[in-house]
Every structure is written in C-alpha cells, then in structure tokens.
Amino acid sequence: MPHMTAFARNQWYVAAYSHEVGREELLGRTILGEPLVFYRTEEDGTPVALADRCVHRRYPLHEKPSRLDGDRLVCGYHGFTYDTSGTCVYVPGQKRVPRTARVASYPIVEQDSLIWVWIGDPALADAGTIPRARHLDSPGWVTVRGMEPIDADYGLLVDNLLDLSHETYLHGGYIGTPEVAETPITTEVDEGAGIVRVSRHMDDAECPPFYAKSTGISGRITRWQDIEYHAPCLYLLHSRVAPVGVVPEADGSDPGGFHTEVTYAITPSEDGKVYDFWAVSRDWATDDAEVTEFLRSNNHTVVMQDVDALNLLQKTLGSERTGYQELSINIDTGGLAARRILARLVEEGDKPVEKVL
C-alpha cells in the first residue's frame, strides 16, 4: 500500500465552486470519505450540505430522480423527505416519522466564490478561521477555473505544489524554464498558524510560453513565485513576471509587471483520491477574451500533466517494497514542513488552526 496522509477532520475544506451548487441539479461530492449532497435554499440561495445517503435504503440523495420540493430534499427511491437540517419530515405510507429518521447536516460557508464545508465536530466550526482568496471574486479580477479528480493521496498533491522545480521538467513548453529548477528557494514556516511560505525569485529568466503569449512580453524576464500554503486545504501562488530591469516597489507593485494569482484547493475525497480545484486570476487584460481562453486552456493542460504524473506515482508507490526510502533535498523543505503540520493537526485531536490573516 502507498503511504496515506491521515485526514484532519476538524478543518474547513473546499467542496465546490459557488457556480456548481444550485437548485436545478443536486451536487454529490465525497469529502474525507463522507458522501455529501449540496443544494441551495429557494428564498435566499443559502447553500446546504447534507449526508448523501437516505436513512431508509441508503439511496444516494443527489442521484436522479431525487429532487427538491421547496427547500426539502425528496429521495428519488421511496420519497423520504428531509429539511435543511437533515430531519426527515415525511415517509411514505404512515403519518409517524421515526425519531431516528435524519441525516447529518454539515456547517457550510460560501466565501470568495468557494463553498467550504466542515466534516468534524460542528461545535468547533469557526468561519473566522477560513483563509481568504479574495481575488477569486473581486472586482477588477478575471478568473479561469476548473476541478480535476486525481486517483492519488492528497499529500502527493501538496508535495507537488510546494516544490515548483518540477515545472522545468514536467511542464516544459508551458510554465517551465531551466531557471525554475536552478534557482534556490527560501522557506518560512509558521507552525502555529499552519502556514508554509516558499519563495523563488528569478532575476533573469527565460519567459515561458504561458506568460509570453498572454502578456506579450518578449525577451528575458524577472519572475517571482511566492507560495502561501494554508494547511490543510488552500494554496496561493502569487506570481509576478516583468521585463528584466523592471524593479518592483516595496509594496510589490510596479508599472511594468504582470501579477497573477494561482489558487489551488486541495480537498481529500477518500483514501487515495483528491479533488484538485485550480484557478488562475489576473488583473491585467481583463477584457481580452482571447487571453482568458489561452490561460484556461494552457492551465488545464498543465493541471492534467500533474494529474497524470500523480496517478502514476500513486500506482508506483503501491507496488514499492515495504521499507523503501525517500530521498529529500532542499527543494523539499516546504513539502516536508507541510507534512509535519498535517500530521500535527491529526495528532492534536484536530483542533482548528488559528488563522491570522
């Protein structure tokens, strides 16, 4: 069996994008091994998350012909009907509803065009600890986004995103250039807040096609990659490219630079399966539909290269002999810190991380 990263249950996880949850279709997702069904209320559109198994014969509630009747969810198998709290309010053939007829309801928060859900103890769910990704729905920003399921342990995706030197090799011709692998990183770890920061600043680098074709920059660039990983779920990459010689101001702003926010939500589905939510946001060329489509298509290709690699890696690890040894070097510092934090979140009884943003 490949190594499995244990789940920290008393944490917030991204279950969906806002646009995925509605009333026309019921959405089913499995988060931390728990099957959930999502929909919105009729009056104000508040999102609802219930356990996705009818108490009667375990029919998946998100599957047709299940449907909404107002704010009530009607099971498509025998008609058991649930309110937004998960309480069963109707069963067929009798007036009395059994006292135990209820499904779990989960704390849910909609923020920054993301739907966050809490799988653990509801009494510990504090929406104030959810990290922000304001650029995803802020005025002046345009975002392309998607989600790919990966048949791999979610810890492998965390490793992948915290070590961007793989861009040079896995993503050559898209976002990778030789300088990404050649440039040393700096790593900062805030153990208490559960945040890992990894930075790579390239003063004189080749401009990869992903940026050359979208920004129009020709020639050499300065390129900055500043990662913030908020364990366990949210990954932010603050990316900056500018022609060589354009020096940023102290606040990071500059007239000649292109700032792009790359966001990933890393949500474990079950053992050996992870949802890879990805988004690329920009505040430049916001009315250029051609740039938008180019970034969407190219980033989807890059994501699928990661998906293929991690699917293969999961299979490979599953066939390794017991006791095999990994070799880690400096590029792995951020990933190893993230592993340590994730392990601590589990060991400490899943106390929520104090997020100070």
Side-chain angles (χ1 to χ4, degrees), residues 242-265:
V244 164
V246 177
V247 180
E249 304 296 334
D251 65 358
S253 64
D254 62 81
F258 293 84
H259 297 263
T260 306
E261 296 289 341
V262 181
T263 307
Y264 282 87

Side-chain angles (χ1 to χ4, degrees), residues 159-172 175-176 180-181 200 302 306 331:
D159 281 350
N160 172 280
L161 293 172
L162 282 168
D163 172 21
L164 293 182
S165 67
H166 79 274
E167 289 183 354
T168 300
Y169 304 97
L170 192 61
H171 305 309
I175 56 176
V180 181
R200 180 181 271 110
V302 167
D306 282 336
I331 59 172

Side-chain angles (χ1 to χ4, degrees), residues 112-177:
D112 303 328
S113 78
L114 302 172
I115 303 289
W116 295 82
V117 69
W118 180 278
I119 300 297
D121 180 352
L124 298 177
D126 177 1
T129 64
I130 298 175
R132 301 304 301 261
R134 290 180 174 87
H135 50 272
L136 290 178
D137 65 355
S138 286
W141 288 83
V142 173
T143 298
V144 293
R145 65 184 82 203
M147 189 278 284
E148 295 296 333
I150 309 179
D151 291 328
D153 177 62
Y154 82 100
L156 296 182
L157 181 56
V158 174
D159 281 350
N160 172 280
L161 293 172
L162 282 168
D163 172 21
L164 293 182
S165 67
H166 79 274
E167 289 183 354
T168 300
Y169 304 97
L170 192 61
H171 305 309
Y174 292 89
I175 56 176
T177 66

Side-chain angles (χ1 to χ4, degrees), residues 95-111:
K95 288 220 169 20
R96 189 185 68 83
V97 177
R99 193 167 39 83
T100 57
R102 61 180 304 114
V103 297
S105 173
Y106 296 85
I108 188 169
V109 172
E110 185 168 16
Q111 180 174 280

